[in-house]
């Protein structure tokens, strides 16, 4: 069963290796565990619903709790403390586009606000109800996860919007295809959420971001359905898909989604290489990407992340042996781990691997075979469970991300890390920060930073610390040429920083679209566009 106050399935428990706890204690001090509230305590705090009864709507307290928060750090703290503040008044479970339309009409009758809800994995405050005079109806797409059609000649699959990662892949794999979209939240996040918040999967190098995969579909709006036809390409004016991608539920509810799929590959392999320094690693990855070597994924950890990963991996004796070997081959302190993948037919993969090796050797790359790459692939969706383990050990962990041009990657990373590392200095607290690149383009790259800090003596202090760090890093990003989000979207947490990027005219145009599709301002007010 899914955890009500954290990440993933209750049956999956990941522990922090003893060596990892020692590593963190040496960097930022001994952990400070805070007590968790129980579900029963929270159930007792849920107020009566302001909605009347409807056959598709649950007014049950536990359902309302389970849809009240996403997975951002403030959400995490609220769930752990049991201080949710606001709950949706009801959760609707439509099973068809027709039922979504009925629920939109019913929400208008009830004068309710509406929150489209996919997997609830938002890390930017997208799906949280706010205090309002109007009741709040959360519309879960969980019962709309079926593969509705597969055009095998055109490689177009039509899905219900609530299909989560495993549902998408299992239905496609049974027919010999894959979508190839693997965000780290894949276990729980949904196709509708991916489109609505412009997500990016770990193998975006081969399959593209969701923008490249989304071929069309239907958006149910208060102004009527918007049907976006699917073409291989079209010069018929602005592309309406772009209006829906990243709309974050503001314009309507996606009821049907067409995606571009790929036949399953004959072979897939992942490898790990260590490069002697950040400067050389960065140059290697840029050159490799710009040469268009056909890799399916690439993830470059900076020196601090490499060290942290090795410390948290457990197996200290094997890691010590690995480090000895790397040192002999010239990858010592300051080394950076690069994981990359090849996906395709065997001959193509062999050629891609040869090309990648040639490039990386020029920059001092040391290959370690397939074991570390295989481990990465096996554990790729287990990393979020580490947050649970860190929390139990008394540490708070959060991540943030941006993208910028290659010429700005190194300076921006240094600025972001500095803003986080020094963010709690006034309190005498240290913050452990590390970064990787995981989505690379000819023009530039994403930057993904993780920061770990101690919560302090209570939840209020933990939240205040997060606010200070998040603001410092977000301001640093927009002031220094980064986008406020490469993949997590805007939600509420990033909305104050959006104007720098979109400008006055851009925001005014988005507001006009929101008014057109949702004249009474019912859909997720405050998300994407501040009120
Ligand atoms: C541990 C973890 C790892 C993550 N890793 C990644 C990653 O690798 N890459 C990445 O891109 N993101 C990642 N994320 C962020 C998050 O998973 C993505 O933003 C994802 O796309 C959200 O999908 P969801 O189905 O959970 O949407 P939700 O969180 O339910 O909703 C997100 C937004 O989309 C809207 N929405 C959802 N469904 C619909 C619909 N059918 N119609 C209209 N609007 C809709 C909601 O109203 C909301 O505004 C991660 C999050 C976590 C917690």
């Amino acid at each position: 069963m899914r955890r009500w106050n954290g990440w993933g399935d209750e049956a999956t428990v990941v522990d922090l290796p003893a060596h990892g706890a020692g590593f963190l204690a040496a960097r930022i001090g001994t952990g400070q565990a805070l007590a968790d509230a129980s579900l029963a305590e929270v159930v007792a705090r849920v107020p009566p619903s302001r909605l009347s009864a409807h056959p598709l709507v649950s007014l049950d307290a536990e359902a309302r709790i389970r849809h009240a928060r996403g997975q951002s750090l403030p959400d995490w703290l609220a769930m752990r403390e049991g201080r949710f503040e606001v709950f949706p008044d009801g959760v609707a479970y439509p099973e068809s586009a027709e039922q979504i339309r009925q629920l939109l009409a019913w929400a208008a009758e009830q004068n309710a606000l509406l929150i489209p809800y996919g997997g609830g994995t938002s890390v930017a405050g997208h799906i949280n109800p706010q205090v309002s005079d109007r009741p709040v109806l959360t519309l879960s797409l969980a019962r709309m996860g079926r593969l509705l059609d597969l055009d095998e000649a055109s490689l177009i699959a039509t899905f219900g919007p609530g299909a989560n990662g495993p549902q998408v892949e299992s239905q496609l794999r049974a027919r010999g295809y894959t979508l190839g979209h693997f965000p780290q939240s894949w276990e729980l996040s949904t196709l509708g959420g991916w489109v609505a918040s412009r997500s990016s999967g770990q193998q975006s190098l081969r399959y593209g971001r969701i923008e490249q995969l989304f071929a069309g579909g239907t958006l149910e709006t208060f102004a009527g359905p918007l049907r976006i036809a699917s073409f291989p390409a079209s010069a018929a004016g602005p592309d309406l898909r772009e209006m829906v991608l990243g709309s974050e539920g503001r314009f309507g509810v996606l009821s049907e989604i067409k995606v571009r799929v790929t036949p399953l590959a004959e072979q897939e392999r992942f490898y790990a290489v260590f490069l002697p320094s950040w400067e050389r690693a960065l140059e290697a990855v840029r050159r490799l990407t710009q040469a268009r070597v056909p890799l399916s994924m690439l993830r470059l950890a900076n020196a601090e992340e490499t060290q942290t990963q090795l410390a948290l991996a457990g197996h200290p004796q094997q890691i010590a042996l690995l480090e000895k070997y790397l040192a002999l081959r010239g990858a010592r302190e300051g080394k950076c781990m690069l994981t990359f993948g090849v996906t395709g037919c065997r001959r193509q993969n062999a050629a891609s691997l040869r090309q990648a090796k040639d490039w990386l050797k020029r920059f001092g790359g040391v290959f370690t075979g397939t074991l570390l790459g295989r481990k990465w692939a096996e554990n790729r969706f287990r990393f979020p469970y580490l947050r649970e383990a860190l929390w139990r050990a008394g540490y708070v962990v959060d991540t943030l991300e941006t993208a910028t041009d290659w010429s700005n990657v190194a300076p921006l990373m240094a600025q972001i890390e500095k803003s986080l590392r020094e963010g709690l200095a006034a309190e005498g607290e240290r913050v452990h920060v590390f970064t990787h690149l995981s989505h690379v383009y000819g023009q530039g790259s994403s930057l993904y930073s993780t920061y770990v800090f101690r919560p302090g003596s209570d939840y209020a202090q933990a939240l205040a610390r997060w606010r200070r760090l998040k603001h410092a890093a977000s301001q640093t990003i927009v002031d220094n040429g980064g986008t406020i989000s490469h993949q997590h979207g805007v939600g509420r947490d990033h909305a104050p920083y959006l104007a720098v990027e979109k400008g006055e005219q851009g925001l005014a145009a988005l507001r006009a679209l929101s008014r057109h599709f949702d004249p009474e301002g019912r859909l997720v007010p405050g998300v994407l566009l501040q009120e």
Side-chain angles (χ1 to χ4, degrees), residues 99 165 185 276 314 392 408 428 452 471 507 512:
Q99 290 188 345
S185 56
R392 287 195 303 275
N408 193 34
V452 188
H471 173 66
L507 280 185

Side-chain angles (χ1 to χ4, degrees), residues 27-273:
R27 272 168 173 69
I28 57 174
T30 316
Q32 301 166 314
L34 300 181
D36 289 347
S38 71
L39 180 58
E41 283 170 289
V42 183
V43 167
R45 289 183 204 144
V46 180
S49 171
R50 295 171 291 177
L51 290 168
S52 49
H54 185 287
L56 296 175
V57 178
S58 166
L59 306 180
D60 171 65
E62 190 173 327
R64 291 166 62 196
I65 292 169
R66 287 180 176 273
H67 293 83
R69 291 284 185 157
Q71 293 287 327
S72 71
L73 207 273
D75 293 339
W76 177 275
L77 295 175
M79 292 189 288
R80 291 289 167 161
E81 190 183 11
R83 193 184 283 270
F84 281 62
E85 283 154 13
V86 187
F87 300 90
D89 288 273
V91 183
Y93 299 95
E95 295 184 12
S96 65
E98 175 52 34
Q99 290 188 345
I100 294 178
R101 288 194 285 274
Q102 283 171 17
L103 285 160
L104 289 181
W106 186 73
E109 265 170 39
Q110 298 275 310
N111 192 23
L113 301 177
L114 205 80
I115 303 177
Y117 183 105
T121 67
S122 154
V123 280
H126 286 93
I127 50 92
N128 306 358
Q130 304 295 298
V131 176
S132 168
D133 295 342
R134 297 192 268 183
V136 179
L137 176 65
T138 291
L139 198 146
S140 163
L141 283 314
R143 293 188 186 159
M144 293 180 69
R146 276 195 314 117
L147 173 62
L148 304 170
D149 183 55
L150 180 62
D151 175 347
E152 298 193 54
S154 315
L155 295 181
I156 293 290
T158 308
F159 275 98
N164 61 30
Q167 288 170 335
V168 169
E169 284 301 322
S170 61
Q171 293 179 85
L172 287 177
R173 267 161 203 263
R175 308 275 296 266
Y177 299 92
T178 178
L179 178 61
H181 191 70
F182 302 108
Q184 204 176 62
S185 56
W186 179 79
E187 239 181 274
L188 301 175
S189 56
T190 63
L191 199 45
W194 299 339
V195 173
S197 52
R198 295 191 90 104
S199 79
S200 194
Q202 290 163 344
Q203 282 165 266
S204 60
L205 254 184
R206 174 174 167 88
Y207 299 103
R209 293 165 58 89
I210 201 71
E211 293 95 293
Q212 281 94 46
L213 299 171
F214 176 51
T218 306
L219 187 76
E220 309 296 340
T221 84
F222 282 105
L226 172 72
R227 296 205 168 82
I228 303 176
S230 143
F231 300 104
S234 164
D239 190 338
L240 296 181
R241 285 175 307 169
E242 282 295 337
M243 228 161 58
V244 174
L245 284 157
S247 57
E248 303 193 351
R250 283 298 301 239
F251 305 157
V253 184
L254 280 155
S255 58
E256 194 181 276
I257 298 175
K258 288 185 185 298
V259 280
R260 296 174 173 139
V261 300
T262 308
L264 285 169
E266 186 187 348
Q267 187 198 50
E268 181 159 78
R269 293 273 186 278
F270 299 96
Y271 303 89
V273 183

Side-chain angles (χ1 to χ4, degrees), residues 267 342 345-355:
Q267 187 198 50
V342 291
C345 70
R346 282 169 211 283
R347 286 178 66 173
Q348 197 182 48
N349 285 353
S352 306
L353 181 61
R354 247 192 333 271
Q355 260 184 296

Side-chain angles (χ1 to χ4, degrees), residues 7 71-73 121-124 182-186 199-202 209 278 282 298-306 308-309 376 380 383-387 397-404 406 408-410 412-414 416-417 420-421 432-441 444-452 470 473 477 482-489 494:
W7 180 258
Q71 293 287 327
S72 71
L73 207 273
T121 67
S122 154
V123 280
F182 302 108
Q184 204 176 62
S185 56
W186 179 79
S199 79
S200 194
Q202 290 163 344
R209 293 165 58 89
W278 173 244
L282 192 59
L298 192 154
R299 177 187 167 121
L300 173 64
N302 73 0
E304 198 64 32
E305 177 160 321
T306 302
T308 307
Q309 276 183 348
W376 174 83
R380 61 201 283 191
F383 292 122
Y385 289 91
L386 199 55
R387 198 180 191 183
V397 59
D398 195 24
T399 61
L400 48 82
E401 38 82 48
T402 179
T404 194
W406 283 115
N408 193 34
V409 168
L412 185 59
M413 181 186 85
I416 294 169
E417 288 202 338
L420 292 168
R421 199 167 283 126
H432 182 50
V433 189
F434 48 90
T435 301
H436 67 251
L437 317 185
S438 47
H439 301 275
V440 287
Y441 309 91
S445 172
S446 68
L447 277 165
Y448 189 98
S449 297
T450 302
Y451 53 109
V452 188
K470 177 78 176 176
I477 286 171
T483 168
I484 191 58
S485 177
H486 167 266
Q487 64 198 59
H488 289 163
H494 298 146

Side-chain angles (χ1 to χ4, degrees), residues 325-406:
Y325 166 75
L326 293 173
L328 281 172
R329 303 282 311 274
R332 303 188 180 89
E333 212 184 314
K335 63 184 169 299
C336 296
M337 182 160 107
L338 170 67
T339 313
F340 69 87
V342 291
T343 306
C345 70
R346 282 169 211 283
R347 286 178 66 173
Q348 197 182 48
N349 285 353
S352 306
L353 181 61
R354 247 192 333 271
Q355 260 184 296
K357 278 187 166 170
D358 285 351
W359 270 106
L360 293 167
K361 274 185 190 150
R362 283 186 226 172
F363 293 89
V366 183
F367 278 75
T368 60
T370 54
L371 178 67
L372 287 177
R374 210 169 59 236
K375 287 278 160 215
W376 174 83
E378 279 166 21
N379 292 320
R380 61 201 283 191
F381 304 122
R382 280 173 73 87
F383 292 122
Y385 289 91
L386 199 55
R387 198 180 191 183
E388 296 278 338
L390 286 165
W391 177 254
R392 287 195 303 275
Y395 297 104
V396 182
V397 59
D398 195 24
T399 61
L400 48 82
E401 38 82 48
T402 179
T404 194
D405 290 356
W406 283 115

